[in-house]
């Protein structure tokens, strides 16, 4: 009702600052603060983020909207944190009755990441031992690809195999790609002109600079973020609806 | 549509087995299996359960339904896992714009539990240094009490101070109590005749035997549970609606 009132509306307009898009350094600083000062655990954050990614997929691609008879999804997981978020996302998608298949070419030696892999294996989620180079096989088998490969920590100028090969394949697929946090191969601060072209982007915590002119469906998943961090980094996050852990920007 | 069809309806009726209520041993066996075989982390499970408890509170006591002007909630946390679930619940309630206050009389020496405490402290959630013995003060200050004290692992016959004193206070409060998993002071397998009388119970993973004739609002939060565990322990869990992580029984 307040929004109908002219003076309240004015007051509101004055206080709305634009959403902040993070540099690579700012994104890293927020994560360090969460882990060191707020004593969040990596396992805890990965679970929160992965679950939010699965919920974003259910919003962008509801089960009853999928083109194929089987609700198949290919989840490509990188070696580090972004990959573990993909593993958690796959596990929750299985709970939501999707049929995820995981491609996780390089496994981490950290037990933290290995545990997330075991959780998926024990849930009977299939793992591919290689990615078909014949793109048509991917287009035919899956409704969409979730790109949880490289994330914001990757050094885009020095991506090592097998990831350049996977990116070359993903540039050719015709089914939609949903990227986690930063599309693989993109710089955190610059969208890639000739890189992969995701239809959906799920920004974690706060959006990164590379997503400023993203024209696809853009979700933000970071509702758990303590208010003091939001203030300190002047994030100006939007109000999340109800009890949702994500919002479409 | 299938449900309209007579033969499908029959087939469906045949396969619906009653929800299983767990003994103390079964509850412990499921948790051991999750941790040891499925390699779930305690931190991860506590986050999942605590978040689900906060969502249950938003369903049972929506912000706009609270009797008091301020959306105050008193969260009483025990020394172990149940207490940490309460801490996570308080943190998410803060995010959902409730005003939780925590009473956490005995802190664990495990860094796992300490981290959850720090997360709440850094979110500026107030901690009480003692619980008022004057019950009217509690009735006046809070809309409800969340009982995250003793949980299923507690030895009810040997509850040590300060918990018997807190239970004596909780038996007198007039505001509603919402208990996490097992109402404090109850045996896992038997409801307590002269114990606390919660209005809401949030069962984690699967309901325990003590909740079989619970007449209050009863939520079940355990959607993340792998299908093989559900089968092995013949849990016969209900279908969770949409992407909800909990269901009202």
């Amino acid at each position: 009702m307040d929004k109908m009132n002219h003076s309240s509306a004015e007051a509101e307009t004055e206080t709305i600052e634009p959403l902040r898009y993070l540099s690579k350094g700012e994104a890293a600083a927020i994560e360090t603060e969460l882990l060191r000062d707020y004593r969040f655990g990596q396992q805890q954050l990965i679970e929160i983020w992965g679950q939010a990614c699965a919920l974003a997929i259910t919003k962008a691609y509801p089960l009853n909207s999928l083109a194929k008879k089987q609700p198949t999804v290919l989840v490509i997981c990188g070696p580090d944190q972004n990959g573990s978020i993909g593993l958690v996302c796959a596990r929750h998608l299985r709970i939501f009755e999707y049929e995820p298949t995981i491609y996780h070419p390089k496994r981490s030696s950290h037990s933290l990441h290995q545990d997330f892999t075991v959780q998926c294996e024990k849930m009977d989620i299939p793992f591919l031992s290689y990615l078909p180079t014949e793109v048509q096989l991917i287009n035919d088998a899956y409704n969409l690809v979730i790109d949880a490969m490289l994330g914001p920590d990757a050094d885009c100028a020095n991506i090592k195999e097998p990831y350049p090969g996977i990116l070359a394949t993903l540039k050719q697929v015709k089914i939609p790609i949903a990227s986690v946090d930063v599309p693989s191969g993109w710089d955190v601060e610059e969208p890639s002109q000739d890189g992969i072209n995701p239809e959906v982007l799920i920004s974690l915590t706060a959006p990164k600079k590379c997503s400023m002119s993203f024209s696809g469906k853009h979700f933000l998943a970071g509702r758990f973020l303590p208010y003091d961090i939001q203030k300190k980094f002047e994030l100006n996050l939007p109000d999340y609806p109800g009890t949702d852990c994500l919002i479409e920007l």
Side-chain angles (χ1 to χ4, degrees), chain A:
Chain A
M1 291 295 280
D2 271 335
K3 288 188 186 174
M4 305 297 280
N5 178 302
H6 187 246
S7 60
S8 307
E10 265 187 353
E12 216 168 84
T13 315
E14 281 177 319
T15 58
I16 290 178
E17 297 283 334
L19 181 64
R20 175 106 169 233
Y21 289 77
L22 302 180
S23 68
K24 187 167 181 169
E26 289 165 331
I30 291 177
E31 200 168 318
T32 302
E33 192 142 329
L34 284 172
L35 293 169
R36 193 192 53 196
D37 300 340
Y38 285 76
R39 298 260 289 271
F40 277 88
Q42 261 193 292
Q43 192 186 61
Q44 186 183 10
L45 292 177
I46 289 170
E47 181 69 29
I48 291 170
W49 285 324
Q51 186 197 34
C53 287
L55 286 166
I57 296 296
T58 68
K59 284 187 194 284
Y61 306 101
L63 276 177
N64 60 16
S65 77
L66 299 176
K68 299 194 168 68
K69 220 172 168 183
Q70 303 298 322
T72 51
V73 178
L74 177 62
V75 188
I76 305 185
C77 298
D80 302 315
Q81 180 161 296
N82 211 254
S84 283
I85 294 169
L87 293 166
V88 172
C89 173
R91 179 162 51 78
H92 284 278
L93 285 177
R94 183 71 201 84
I95 294 285
F96 297 147
E97 296 178 355
Y98 289 73
E99 294 179 12
T101 291
I102 293 168
Y103 179 52
H104 187 20
K106 278 196 163 181
R107 310 269 176 111
S108 168
S109 58
H110 284 83
S111 70
L112 173 81
H113 298 303
Q114 288 173 350
D115 286 352
F116 289 114
T117 306
V118 174
Q119 290 165 26
C120 287
E121 287 171 344
K122 297 278 294 183
M123 290 274 284
D124 286 333
I125 299 174
F127 281 68
L128 294 183
S129 53
Y130 65 95
L131 191 70
T133 44
E134 181 64 72
V135 175
Q136 195 54 40
L137 290 172
I138 300 174
N139 294 336
D140 289 345
Y142 304 103
N143 291 280
L144 68 141
V145 178
I146 297 174
D147 154 34
M149 277 203 297
L150 300 178
D153 299 327
D155 174 6
C156 291
N158 284 301
I159 302 172
K160 297 217 172 62
E161 285 301 339
Y163 302 109
I166 300 170
L167 285 175
T169 303
L170 288 187
K171 277 184 220 170
Q172 297 174 62
V173 295
K174 293 273 181 289
I175 53 174
I177 297 174
S179 286
V180 173
D181 208 18
V182 171
S184 293
W186 288 28
D187 183 85
V188 177
E189 303 185 12
E190 283 289 340
S192 167
Q193 299 306 322
D194 61 348
I196 65 168
N197 183 20
E199 186 175 87
V200 165
L201 175 62
I202 307 155
S203 289
L204 306 178
T205 306
K208 315 304 173 292
K209 278 195 196 303
C210 65
S211 66
M212 275 186 87
S213 54
F214 182 69
S215 59
K217 236 179 165 47
H218 190 182
F219 293 94
L220 174 62
R223 189 170 189 176
F224 75 98
L225 209 65
Y227 298 115
D228 279 358
I229 290 193
Q230 297 185 28
K231 258 187 258 164
K232 179 173 170 181
F233 290 89
E234 296 171 343
L235 298 181
N236 307 317
L237 298 177
D239 284 338
Y240 287 84
T243 56
D244 288 4
C245 65
L246 52 96
I247 188 172
E248 191 178 337
L249 297 177

